Amino acid sequence: MQKKESYYFLQSVPGIGNITITNLLTYFVHVEDILSAPEAELKNILKPNQLNMFLERREREKYKEELKDILRAGYQYISIEDREYPKRLLNIPDPPYGLFLKGELPP
C-alpha cells in the first residue's frame, strides 16, 4: 500500500501537479522515497508554497485516512504503477499518476 499511498499523497497536495511529480520522481527515483525525503532535498524541486503544503500535509498524515475512506466508500485508487492502470493511458503525454474509479475499467 505504501506506493499507492505515496502517489495519492502527491496528488492530494495543493499546488503539486503532474510536472512537479515527474520532477520529484526524476530526483528521488522511487515514489516512496519522496514522502520520507528531508526538507533540504525537497527544496531543490519544490517552490516555497509547494514545500509548505507538502510538509504540512505530510506531518498531519491525514492523507492515509482519506485514502482509506475513499476505498471504504467503494472507490478504487489505481496508481500508474498498478497492473490495473489502463495501458492506453501510458501512451498519452503526461498521463495521470493515479485514477479514482467506481465500477470496472473497460477491457
Side-chain angles (χ1 to χ4, degrees), residues 4-24:
K4 196 175 290 268
E5 281 182 356
S6 299
Y7 277 113
Y8 174 76
F9 170 80
L10 291 173
Q11 287 190 295
S12 71
V13 177
I16 292 184
N18 273 8
I19 292 171
T20 304
I21 294 171
T22 300
N23 293 340
L24 287 164

Side-chain angles (χ1 to χ4, degrees), residues 24-90:
L24 287 164
L25 286 169
T26 300
Y27 186 88
F28 292 102
V29 181
H30 298 80
V31 69
E32 305 93 333
D33 296 339
I34 298 168
L35 245 61
S36 59
E39 183 177 344
E41 284 192 71
L42 292 167
K43 282 182 179 179
N44 293 325
I45 296 118
L46 300 177
K47 296 174 184 172
N49 189 44
Q50 291 173 319
L51 180 63
N52 290 337
M53 295 300 282
F54 181 101
L55 295 174
E56 179 184 312
R57 192 145 172 75
R58 180 173 74 178
E59 183 180 314
R60 291 185 312 175
E61 292 193 357
K62 188 178 178 184
Y63 66 93
K64 291 179 181 180
E65 198 56 42
E66 288 172 1
L67 183 55
K68 286 178 187 175
D69 289 344
I70 289 167
L71 299 176
R72 275 193 292 264
Y75 292 90
Q76 296 177 60
Y77 178 75
I78 302 170
S79 80
I80 197 166
E81 292 191 43
D82 290 334
R83 63 180 171 75
E84 302 89 1
Y85 192 88
K87 303 296 181 246
R88 291 188 296 184
L89 284 180
L90 294 173

